[in-house]
Amino acid sequence: QVQLAESGGGLVQAGGSLRLSCVASGRTVSDYRMGWFRQAPGEERESVATINSSGDMPVYVDSVKGRFTISRDNAKNMVFLQMNNLKPGDTAVYFCAADNPDTYRQFDYWGQGTQVTVSS
């Protein structure tokens, strides 16, 4: 089993920056694809960014390209989301997720989420 815990959310003005962190425990996640998702009130959850196990193939949703950067530190069992030039539309609960390589289920593990609020 893998447990994921996010941190780093908060309230920021438009144009500001935040860095989200996600630490995994229970097992090493160096072989897992990881991702950040978000869900705004009344909206469906969407994928923001994903990263492969080696960290050299990030994928972003179009709305955050050029503003957000996903990275990982496999030695620390962590994944990060650097968010720059934040916009009010980025307001959401952000979740960290991981694939399950044992069952091949995509994004089988989830954290509890961290709130990001961007004021205009």
Side-chain angles (χ1 to χ4, degrees):
Q1 273 292 58
V2 173
Q3 293 79 44
L4 302 174
E6 305 94 338
S7 62
L11 173 64
V12 64
Q13 288 189 331
S17 298
L18 284 173
R19 187 187 193 218
L20 304 184
S21 299
C22 172
V23 60
S25 60
R27 291 179 64 175
T28 179
V29 294
S30 59
D31 292 334
Y32 295 43
R33 183 179 57 158
M34 305 286 292
W36 286 97
F37 294 74
R38 67 185 179 187
Q39 187 167 19
E43 303 287 335
E44 292 189 356
R45 185 165 56 194
E46 69 167 347
S47 172
V48 176
T50 62
I51 191 166
N52 61 330
S53 57
S54 59
D56 59 355
M57 292 182 62
V59 178
Y60 300 96
V61 67
D62 286 347
S63 60
V64 307
K65 286 180 180 177
R67 300 189 298 121
F68 290 12
T69 302
I70 188 171
S71 62
R72 64 191 299 160
D73 185 335
N74 285 337
K76 296 182 178 179
N77 237 20
M78 296 185 72
V79 64
F80 308 96
L81 186 67
Q82 177 66 43
M83 305 186 294
N84 298 328
N85 190 22
L86 281 159
K87 303 176 180 181
D90 295 318
T91 296
V93 178
Y94 284 71
F95 299 90
C96 174
D99 283 349
N100 185 338
D102 295 335
T103 63
Y104 301 102
R105 291 182 60 175
Q106 297 185 29
F107 300 116
D108 203 22
Y109 300 112
W110 292 85
Q112 302 244 354
T114 185
Q115 176 71 47
V116 171
T117 303
V118 184
S119 64
S120 57

